[in-house]
Amino acid sequence: MARRRLLTREALARQLDPPTDEREIARHFTLTREDLDWVSIRRGPASQLGYAMTLLYMRWPGRVLGTDETPPASILSFVARQLDVPEAAWRDYGRREPTRRAHLADLARRMGYRAFGRTDFHALATFAMPVAQTIIQPLQLAGIVIDEMRRRRLLLPPVTVIEAIVRRARRQADELVHDVLTQGLDDDGRTRLDALLARRGDRGATWLSWLRNPPLSPAPRNVMRLLERLDHVRAIGLAPARAATIPAAAFDRIADEAVRITSQHLAELPDRRRHAVLAAAALRLRESLADAVLTMMDKLLGSMMRRAENRTRDKALGTIRALQVQLRLLTGSCRLLIDARAQGLDSLAAMAIDWEKLGAAVGEAEILVAPETTDRTAELIDRHRSLRPVIGPFLAVFTFRGASPVQGLLDAIRVVGEVYRTGRRRLPDNPPLRFVPPSWRPFVLRDGQVVRAAYELCVLTQLRDRLRAGDIWVEESRQYRAFDSYLLPPATFAALRERGPLPLAIDTDFDTFIAGRRARLDTAIEQVTALARQGELPQVRLDADGLVISPLKAATPPDAEDVRRMVYDRLPRVKITDLLLEVDGWTGFSECFTHRRSGRPADDRNALLTVILADGINHGLTRMADTCQAATLRQLAHLHDWHVSETAYGEALARLIDAHRALPLSALWGDGTTSSSDGQLFHAGGRGAALGDINARNGNEPGVSFYTHISDQYDPFASRVIAATAGEAPYVLDGLLYHATGLSIEEHYTDTGGASDHVFGLMPFFGYRFAPRLRDLKERRLHLLPGQDAGTLLAGLTGDPVAVGHVADHWDELLRLLTSIRSGTVTTSAMLQRLSAYPRQNGLALALREVGRIERSIFMLDWLRDIDLRRRAQAGLNKGEARNALARALFFNQLGELRDRRFENQTYRASGLNLLVAAIILWNTRYLEQAISGMAVPPEAARHIAPLGWEHISLTGDYRWNVESRPDPGQLRPLRAPSSLLAA
């Protein structure tokens, strides 16, 4: 069986062929004075032109000009003009092979080039081997090898030789990684690894399969099942530090392979590779299972607190109803007493009061008004029994670490763990109590005694908060690491700051920063005050009665909808499969979905597009295999496991968006410098319902949110899955900083949910202007710098002054955080989630909040005086909402519910949906351009036609890939003729 090719001549065309761009031609094919001197000694135009072309080809692309090869006409003409010889002279060059060989030898001697040899093969394979540990794409690795050949002045060999170098380097890199990862393993260690492939008794599944498929829904019994798996993988005996012995990218690749490869296939691998893959699997499983336990306990406590809150609310409503009954009796009795006193009756016996009922009513009322009866904490404590079986094992399995401020809580954790370990029924005398917050103290301490159930739940809830913040951490966890471990090391940050400006968009000198913000605030206050006094704030009234902001008036022409309908009526009807094939022909986005291990593209492009479509329309691989008839479920599952990844989705999305931005019609919608972001809730159903979070604002059904960024040109350039209960604000900057497109965003809009003082504080450091549409703007306060005066009109909107001294004290720490985010050491969302979970007194969180207050105050003043800013924000958010409508229409299968249990699969659904939306936008835009041009629609009307229509796209039915029906390259489908109800 022939070996599959890693590289082809077509794939390496950009490296081996001369450039076609005029600037690149001028760069690589301009002759120097020395070159002209060498050429001038050749006799005849043909010899001179041939000698010059041979010289230039040696220099770039770095190879010998083929015997029968003719350079591109643009290059030949450019070189001939430099030599003042006719282009036609090239046809006479090379008729005598000795002349061509003599020129090659002479140029090699003069320029120091030499032919590729066997020793060069081994040297280059050795050079590429360390690179191959972290780069798996054959084409990318080949490019690095070719660049090194040029540097060494080696003439490029045939593609097969370059491919052989890449193969050798990849094999040597794999062997080295496998050796290092298994170094020091004795026979017992290898036996324990091989035991992972054994069957679990008579249950059929292997131990590895059991470990790779843990329970995910939060429940006490599932916590115990996770702990059992964690104990099993720990018993293998591999230290977590072993993962750091190889490059992180190499370990991630092997660990990812270990998750996807079947146990049967693993058992057939050579010993060295099998043990390395199993070792990576064990190390990654130990880390992921630790995270899973901690996350499940977090969710379990959260669900218990939510149920306690719901029960408290229900009980409060019942209490009100019961109190009404007793109050009627009490008020009736009190009325009799008042009437009796008014009539001068002193004897209680003369009063018609049912004393027995009155006494019962008073007793019940006393019970109902007791504070513990309607308190969430009391309800939570009542549920302690359901959690008690997992508290001991949970605290025993981890070693929690933290800084001195949380030492009291760490001591309490050890106390509770010791009580469960020894089986004692009571807590020891004088347990640690400093960590207990005031809201818990009445329940933890009762009559001077510590209540065990309340104490244990207080410990767990406080541990949950501190793990979220990062000031308590678990060393073997990836998600719950120490806060400082996310940031650049202090020494690295100090060296960066000393060597030059930090990679931030503002002046990092504190005094300069504050002076600039003070000047901007002074100017904004002065302008807003002057406009308000003249009554010229646009659609805003600011006076002694307060602030009133009028809604924006619609700026869309009245006939815009009619024009849109007429244009869309001309677009050809198309099936979603044909649309994807056509877009793939334009952009080649399917090439981004390469094999996770080999880096090769998929052999069956139609099957790959089927997998992407299954993600995008929420169809699932099983149902898609039944409806597409192009591939079996096994083929689709293999493609999804080995070719689909978040990186591939990101690269494919970038291709679509960059192609869309190049279309002239896109410029009518915007210049690509503004964007908006918003979340879209998708309910969870089936097995996914147990994992979804419930957000009370959206009803009582569990679900997740797809948080998407969209540019002013309608390009959805980022999308990610977040919990329905999670705030949107931490994820705003993620999409702006970590997308793979060529967009350069300058101004960003969100609704109220995406805004926080922390986000306001971060935005200017990365060069973004933040302009959220705040629902409660009138309730927000202006925070000015010390010594600034807002004036009488703005005095009612002014709050506490900014704590400038606190910001100054933490300025270096803040810059270190920002530089860590910019350098990619940590994501913005990870940092903001931890900072928001910190106690109120945390210095860094407060410093960032104070900076955010300054930025928000500047923004609020700009919002009042700049109606164009309000209109841009409104338009940007409207585009996001329109995009969400298209996404909802596409994500229609399985009732539009997410039924995937794994977060990874949910992420693929979100990315597949976003890629499908981007493909439709690109397809619509190209055909809208054609329709608008043919109908002579003016630009002012065309800018109101969004590329988000889907009425002409068939989304249902059998999904067949009709490659033959695709238009020829450079051609589009014919537009539809205008339809008429009166046509025969």
Side-chain angles (χ1 to χ4, degrees):
M1 182 177 178
R3 175 182 288 184
R4 296 179 63 184
R5 296 292 303 273
L6 284 179
L7 299 169
T8 62
R9 180 63 177 76
E10 293 75 17
L12 286 175
R14 292 184 61 183
Q15 293 284 353
L16 302 180
D17 290 346
T20 57
D21 179 73
E22 290 186 358
R23 179 173 295 182
E24 290 298 308
I25 291 175
R27 175 187 174 192
H28 294 294
F29 287 84
T30 298
L31 295 164
T32 66
R33 172 53 56 190
E34 186 180 24
D35 296 338
L36 292 171
D37 291 341
W38 292 349
V39 172
S40 63
I41 63 177
R42 304 296 148 188
R43 291 183 299 177
S47 182
Q48 289 180 353
L49 184 58
Y51 188 87
M53 293 304 303
T54 303
L55 179 156
L56 292 169
Y57 261 69
M58 273 189 174
R59 192 172 288 156
W60 190 272
R63 62 179 176 85
V64 175
L65 191 61
T67 304
D68 299 322
E69 182 179 1
T70 300
S74 56
I75 294 178
L76 201 59
S77 174
F78 179 69
V79 175
R81 285 197 304 271
Q82 296 178 69
L83 300 176
D84 196 20
V85 300
E87 297 177 41
W90 173 260
R91 291 195 297 269
D92 299 327
Y93 179 68
R95 290 182 177 178
R96 295 183 65 254
E97 184 62 24
T99 301
R100 182 174 172 275
R101 288 200 299 269
H103 286 181
L104 284 172
D106 182 67
L107 286 169
R109 178 182 58 80
R110 289 176 181 269
M111 299 170 63
Y113 282 87
R114 58 187 176 85
F116 186 89
R118 182 178 296 273
T119 56
D120 298 313
F121 178 92
H122 296 293
L124 284 166
T126 302
F127 160 80
M129 187 267 290
V131 182
Q133 294 184 49
T134 55
I135 295 177
I136 65 168
Q137 297 291 343
L139 193 59
Q140 188 177 359
L141 187 58
I144 295 173
V145 170
I146 289 172
D147 286 342
E148 180 63 15
M149 289 183 188
R150 291 172 180 148
R151 191 189 68 80
R152 298 185 184 191
R153 297 192 173 232
L154 291 171
L155 295 175
L156 299 183
V159 173
T160 53
V161 176
I162 298 174
E163 181 182 13
I165 295 172
V166 170
R167 285 187 184 277
R168 173 71 65 86
R170 284 160 56 102
R171 187 178 73 249
Q172 290 179 347
D174 286 344
E175 291 173 353
L176 178 64
V177 167
H178 297 160
D179 287 341
V180 173
L181 200 54
T182 58
Q183 187 175 12
L185 279 179
D186 55 16
D187 292 340
D188 289 340
R190 298 175 191 273
T191 301
R192 287 193 296 271
L193 288 175
D194 285 332
L196 292 173
L197 302 178
R199 302 286 180 183
R200 292 184 64 227
D202 57 353
R203 303 189 183 186
T206 63
W207 287 99
L208 181 60
S209 177
W210 174 69
L211 290 171
R212 291 193 299 198
N213 295 279
L216 299 176
S217 58
R221 65 180 182 279
N222 286 340
V223 174
M224 298 304 296
R225 292 169 180 170
L226 287 174
L227 291 174
E228 181 185 3
R229 286 170 169 81
L230 183 58
D231 287 340
H232 186 89
V233 78
R234 281 178 173 178
I236 297 174
L238 296 180
R242 184 180 290 269
T245 58
I246 61 176
F251 178 79
D252 289 340
R253 186 176 71 249
I254 297 178
D256 181 74
E257 179 183 349
V259 170
R260 299 177 189 283
I261 197 169
T262 64
S263 299
Q264 293 81 1
H265 188 190
L266 264 173
E268 297 170 358
L269 295 178
D271 289 350
R272 178 169 55 182
R273 182 182 169 194
R274 182 179 73 253
H275 291 141
V277 172
L278 288 173
L283 293 169
R284 177 53 55 84
L285 283 168
R286 180 170 181 173
E287 184 180 72
S288 62
L289 287 170
D291 284 343
V293 173
L294 294 166
T295 300
M296 187 173 290
M297 280 297 293
D298 184 306
K299 285 182 171 288
L300 188 57
L301 284 168
S303 65
M304 288 178 62
M305 294 167 70
R306 186 171 60 249
R307 286 195 296 269
E309 189 167 349
N310 292 339
R311 185 170 174 79
T312 301
R313 185 182 62 249
D314 295 341
K315 184 179 286 189
L317 293 175
T319 299
I320 291 173
R321 289 192 292 268
L323 275 174
Q324 288 176 338
V325 175
Q326 309 308 328
L327 283 173
R328 281 195 292 269
L329 180 57
L330 288 172
T331 54
S333 300
C334 291
R335 175 55 59 189
L336 288 173
L337 287 172
I338 293 171
D339 293 343
R341 185 176 184 277
Q343 296 171 9
L345 297 177
D346 293 330
S347 173
L348 293 177
M351 302 179 189
I353 297 176
D354 188 334
W355 295 101
E356 184 177 351
K357 288 185 177 180
L358 179 60
V362 172
E364 289 185 26
E366 289 174 340
I367 295 173
L368 291 171
V369 299
E372 291 82 1
T373 60
T374 57
D375 191 283
R376 186 191 72 170
T377 305
E379 289 291 338
L380 182 62
I381 294 170
D382 288 342
R383 296 177 176 273
H384 171 265
R385 182 176 300 177
S386 65
L387 197 61
R388 187 170 182 176
V390 304
I391 296 176
F394 169 71
L395 295 180
V397 80
F398 295 116
T399 300
F400 297 100
R401 303 187 183 279
S404 55
V406 295
Q407 190 58 49
L409 178 56
L410 293 175
D411 293 339
I413 292 170
R414 283 190 284 270
V415 166
V416 175
E418 184 66 16
V419 167
Y420 277 93
R421 189 185 67 81
T422 57
R424 288 188 294 182
R425 299 177 62 88
R426 295 173 56 85
L427 293 169
D429 295 336
N430 301 318
L433 293 174
R434 286 185 303 162
F435 72 95
V436 179
S439 60
W440 275 87
R441 281 193 173 271
F443 302 95
V444 172
L445 285 173
R446 182 169 296 173
D447 299 330
Q449 297 295 319
V450 177
V451 180
R452 176 176 173 177
Y455 187 83
E456 291 177 358
L457 282 172
C458 182
V459 168
L460 290 176
T461 55
Q462 294 303 301
L463 174 61
R464 173 180 183 250
D465 293 342
R466 302 284 59 78
L467 282 170
R468 285 183 169 187
D471 47 4
I472 288 183
W473 61 87
V474 177
E475 290 183 348
E476 63 182 324
S477 167
R478 170 183 284 191
Q479 186 175 347
Y480 298 95
R481 292 186 291 160
F483 182 88
D484 204 59
S485 67
Y486 289 93
L487 306 180
L488 287 170
T492 302
F493 171 71
L496 284 173
R497 195 171 187 185
E498 182 179 354
R499 291 190 177 186
L502 296 174
L504 301 175
I506 66 169
D507 195 319
T508 56
D509 178 73
F510 175 74
D511 292 333
T512 305
F513 172 78
I514 291 297
R517 266 41 191 179
R518 183 182 294 275
R520 289 185 60 183
L521 279 170
D522 286 338
T523 301
I525 290 171
E526 180 181 351
Q527 291 182 359
V528 169
T529 301
L531 291 172
R533 285 174 176 166
Q534 298 167 12
E536 295 180 0
L537 284 174
Q539 295 186 221
V540 173
R541 191 184 79 239
L542 177 61
D543 52 28
D545 295 330
L547 174 66
V548 177
I549 303 177
S550 301
L552 292 173
K553 298 177 181 178
T556 305
D559 60 343
E561 179 58 28
D562 293 334
V563 175
R564 189 201 76 84
R565 191 182 304 109
M566 287 190 297
V567 172
Y568 265 98
D569 284 344
R570 299 295 309 278
L571 265 58
R573 298 195 182 277
V574 64
K575 292 184 176 181
I576 187 63
T577 49
D578 294 336
L579 184 149
L580 283 178
L581 278 174
E582 198 167 351
V583 171
D584 188 40
W586 298 339
T587 63
F589 72 84
S590 63
E591 299 169 359
C592 300
F593 294 86
T594 56
H595 194 278
R596 287 175 177 265
R597 186 169 186 275
S598 68
R600 291 192 298 264
D603 294 329
D604 190 340
R605 185 183 62 164
N606 291 348
L608 175 64
L609 292 176
T610 302
V611 168
I612 296 171
L613 182 61
D615 275 342
I617 63 175
N618 196 32
H619 205 31
L621 297 182
T622 302
R623 290 183 177 87
M624 185 59 82
D626 294 335
T627 56
C628 74
Q629 301 178 1
T632 65
L633 175 60
R634 182 183 296 274
Q635 290 173 306
L636 296 181
H638 177 81
L639 281 168
H640 199 279
D641 286 344
W642 289 100
H643 285 266
V644 174
S645 66
E646 271 304 286
T647 301
Y649 267 126
E651 293 174 356
L653 181 66
R655 287 202 183 188
L656 297 184
I657 290 177
D658 290 342
H660 183 253
R661 293 176 57 230
L663 298 177
L665 183 57
S666 298
L668 286 181
W669 298 317
D671 58 3
T673 60
T674 67
S675 62
S676 66
S677 58
D678 193 15
Q680 185 176 19
L681 179 71
F682 289 91
H683 291 298
R687 295 196 300 175
L691 304 180
D693 293 319
I694 296 175
N695 189 326
R697 295 177 303 171
N698 301 308
N700 293 322
E701 296 183 33
V704 298
S705 181
F706 291 178
Y707 195 71
T708 305
H709 290 64
I710 182 171
S711 76
D712 53 16
Q713 297 175 330
Y714 292 97
D715 292 316
F717 60 90
S719 183
R720 66 171 300 164
V721 177
I722 62 176
T725 54
E728 295 177 351
Y731 302 94
V732 172
L733 265 166
D734 278 1
L736 296 174
L737 290 174
Y738 310 127
H739 64 88
T741 73
L743 288 167
S744 181
I745 303 299
E746 298 174 4
E747 188 171 88
H748 187 72
Y749 321 114
T750 69
D751 57 15
T752 304
S756 71
D757 285 344
H758 284 168
V759 178
F760 268 110
L762 290 174
M763 282 287 189
F765 287 90
F766 303 116
Y768 303 115
R769 184 184 187 185
F770 189 39
R773 183 180 60 190
L774 298 177
R775 182 177 56 252
D776 54 348
L777 184 69
K778 294 189 294 184
E779 308 301 324
R780 306 267 181 148
R781 302 291 94 183
L782 295 172
H783 298 275
L784 307 182
L785 295 168
Q788 284 186 309
D789 181 19
T792 55
L793 281 178
L794 292 172
L797 297 176
T798 305
D800 297 333
V802 175
V804 177
H806 184 85
V807 177
D809 292 341
H810 293 82
W811 186 249
D812 289 345
E813 193 178 357
L814 185 58
L815 292 179
R816 181 184 169 213
L817 166 67
L818 295 163
T819 307
S820 300
I821 293 173
R822 171 56 81 185
S823 63
T825 304
V826 65
T827 63
T828 314
S829 56
M831 285 293 92
L832 288 184
Q833 285 172 335
R834 279 155 181 77
L835 288 174
S836 62
Y838 261 118
R840 292 174 61 86
Q841 66 271 18
N842 177 262
L844 180 58
L846 285 177
L848 182 57
R849 187 197 68 180
E850 294 301 297
V851 173
R853 284 180 168 181
I854 299 173
E855 301 301 325
R856 177 168 54 79
S857 299
I858 295 172
F859 158 74
M860 289 172 61
L861 294 169
D862 289 343
W863 187 266
L864 296 180
R865 61 178 172 161
D866 189 352
I867 193 171
D868 289 336
L869 174 61
R870 281 178 267 155
R871 285 174 176 159
R872 291 197 304 271
Q874 182 74 24
L877 292 171
N878 287 346
K879 289 178 180 180
E881 292 171 1
R883 177 264 170 203
N884 288 348
L886 171 59
R888 183 71 67 184
L890 293 173
F891 207 72
F892 63 92
N893 283 292
Q894 304 186 75
L895 303 178
E897 296 177 342
L898 275 172
R899 302 190 177 184
D900 294 291
R901 299 176 64 230
R902 295 183 178 276
F903 178 78
E904 180 185 44
N905 291 338
Q906 293 179 354
T907 300
Y908 292 155
R909 294 295 171 98
S911 297
L913 173 61
N914 202 42
L915 186 70
L916 201 57
V917 168
I920 290 175
I921 290 172
L922 174 58
W923 192 93
N924 280 349
T925 302
R926 289 202 65 172
Y927 281 92
L928 284 173
E929 278 188 344
Q930 188 180 25
I932 289 171
S933 175
M935 298 172 65
V937 177
E940 183 57 33
R943 64 187 296 267
H944 295 285
I945 303 175
L948 299 171
W950 69 88
E951 301 89 345
H952 55 290
I953 303 173
S954 176
L955 301 174
T956 58
D958 289 339
Y959 298 105
R960 300 178 183 273
W961 304 94
N962 301 315
V963 180
E964 297 79 9
S965 66
R966 191 177 64 185
D968 294 332
Q971 301 296 316
L972 295 178
R973 300 172 187 270
L975 296 176
R976 284 187 288 164
S979 58
S980 172
L981 294 175
L982 303 179

